Amino acid sequence: MKQRGLIRRQIVSAWEDCIAKHYSVQQINSERSLQAAFWSHLIPQLSKARRVFIEPSILLASGRRVFPDVVVTNSREVIAVVELKYTPKGTAKWKKDLATLAALAGARGELGISHTRHRGTDNDREHYRLSKHVLFVWAGVHKAFNEDVDYFAADYPLLQDCYLQLHAETLANKPPELSYVVPSN
């Protein structure tokens, strides 16, 4: 996980700012607005060589198409994939997101995304492959879990060295509590 220390810090910082500056003042009301707020705090932290895609289409070898919420690239490769969840009055469902992240982790080096446009000038024909050091992130705004769930990726060996989990646990009449889970190995 050492290879992605900078992007990990940038994602954590963008998450903290997003929650403090938008969720805490009731400016986020859906997963789409969470994506927009998160994006607005991530972009200024990134160098000009970084690109951010919202819900790009990725075709898995199985034929299944997935649409991760946020994908960050450097000039050649995908360096981070982020799944966001917004359920402030309920517990977040995370198993489908982790299965998607694990499927992507299993296809590192094989899959990638291309920035395709339907109309207008074609300024970016780059095909971004998933880096072998890609960081996979699950970040959610949600109520406390009923069961003791600590580390979502425990059952996903492909995510063990490349995963970050961010929480904004919502509380009655208080700001959300932020917490982070990083693999111990």
Side-chain angles (χ1 to χ4, degrees):
M1 190 96 135
K2 293 176 186 170
Q3 294 90 347
R4 293 292 171 225
L6 176 60
I7 191 66
R8 184 175 59 247
R9 287 188 302 275
Q10 291 167 326
I11 287 171
V12 167
S13 177
W15 179 251
E16 290 171 342
D17 289 346
C18 170
I19 299 304
K21 295 176 181 171
H22 296 287
Y23 179 79
S24 293
V25 296
Q26 297 180 326
Q27 292 178 333
I28 297 175
N29 64 354
S30 68
E31 191 168 302
R32 295 283 169 118
S33 61
L34 178 62
Q35 285 174 342
F38 178 72
W39 180 91
S40 75
H41 290 284
L42 183 59
I43 287 291
Q45 297 186 47
L46 302 175
S47 73
K48 295 204 184 295
R50 304 283 193 253
R51 300 287 308 264
V52 178
F53 297 93
I54 303 297
E55 295 185 353
S57 172
I58 300 175
L59 184 63
L60 299 173
S62 67
R64 186 174 131 222
R65 192 167 294 280
V66 296
F67 300 88
D69 289 310
V70 178
V71 171
V72 182
T73 71
N74 61 22
S75 60
R76 300 175 322 275
E77 301 175 307
V78 172
I79 60 171
V81 178
V82 181
E83 283 289 353
L84 299 169
K85 194 58 67 189
Y86 184 78
T87 56
K89 294 183 178 181
T91 54
K93 303 218 182 318
W94 51 269
K95 290 184 180 181
K96 179 179 175 265
D97 291 338
L98 267 282
T100 296
L101 293 177
L104 291 171
R108 283 179 273 201
E110 299 167 25
L111 292 179
I113 63 169
S114 296
H115 185 58
T116 56
R117 295 186 56 156
H118 298 286
R119 294 179 60 120
T121 59
D122 192 4
N123 295 321
D124 182 4
R125 285 203 169 272
E126 191 68 38
H127 178 78
Y128 301 94
R129 298 187 81 62
L130 270 72
S131 167
K132 69 178 189 173
H133 301 294
V134 64
L135 174 66
F136 295 98
V137 181
W138 184 93
V141 175
H142 56 83
K143 276 184 8 180
F145 289 97
N146 296 332
E147 71 273 10
D148 186 24
V149 178
D150 223 12
Y151 179 55
F152 295 168
D155 294 333
Y156 299 91
L158 291 169
L159 296 174
Q160 292 309 305
D161 293 328
C162 55
Y163 176 72
L164 171 65
Q165 188 171 297
L166 306 171
H167 297 273
E169 186 177 304
T170 58
L171 306 161
N173 302 312
K174 293 181 184 176
E177 284 184 9
L178 299 180
S179 64
Y180 316 95
V181 180
V182 180
S184 57
N185 49 352

